[in-house]
Amino acid sequence: MSVRSVRSSYEKAPWRDLKDLEGVVEQDFLYPLLLGENVLPYRLVPPREAVLPLEGTTLMDSQHPHLSRYPDLAQWWESAEELWQRHRSTDRLSLTEQLDFRRKLTHQLPAPPLRVVYGAL
């Protein structure tokens, strides 16, 4: 499936000045993503789609031996990691570590069939 990164007015330099990342990714790696902006009083607006390099409950990086099984994802993810390496403000975290900071992503896997979503006051 053809994908392109989504831009936001909240982006800071240098990210706001970069071109969109565009490419093709296998459908299996597109996931619905709910952000705070998707949660309104008594309803949700449609989620965005996110590219997540997940194989089951394993978050893959460009060094993962299974990533080559998915050539479109591998190309997209390697491009994303290269941009991250070039423009990040510190060497502390890789892109995958940033994505799963404090295991906030992988602790949600496998996803339960139902979730309760609410906005904090």
Side-chain angles (χ1 to χ4, degrees), residues 40-59:
L40 301 176
Y42 307 105
R43 71 184 198 127
L44 297 174
V45 295
R48 295 178 181 237
E49 282 191 319
V51 175
L52 296 175
L54 291 169
E55 187 179 58
T57 59
T58 301
L59 188 59

Side-chain angles (χ1 to χ4, degrees), residues 71-87:
D72 294 334
L73 174 67
Q75 185 175 7
W76 169 270
W77 198 249
E78 287 166 7
S79 297
E81 282 186 336
E82 191 251 319
L83 279 173
W84 175 257
Q85 293 286 345
R86 204 168 349 129
H87 298 288

Side-chain angles (χ1 to χ4, degrees), residues 50-117:
V51 175
L52 296 175
L54 291 169
E55 187 179 58
T57 59
T58 301
L59 188 59
M60 298 182 287
D61 62 12
S62 60
Q63 305 305 312
H64 194 281
H66 293 181
L67 189 64
S68 62
R69 295 178 182 175
Y70 315 103
D72 294 334
L73 174 67
Q75 185 175 7
W76 169 270
W77 198 249
E78 287 166 7
S79 297
E81 282 186 336
E82 191 251 319
L83 279 173
W84 175 257
Q85 293 286 345
R86 204 168 349 129
H87 298 288
R88 64 186 177 170
S89 58
T90 176
D91 292 344
R92 194 169 64 100
L93 298 174
S94 69
L95 178 57
T96 306
E97 290 167 335
Q98 177 68 25
L99 184 61
D100 195 24
F101 187 69
R102 296 188 179 171
R103 299 202 39 157
K104 289 182 181 180
L105 174 62
T106 54
H107 273 207
Q108 298 180 55
L109 303 173
L114 296 174
R115 292 181 187 228
V116 174
V117 178

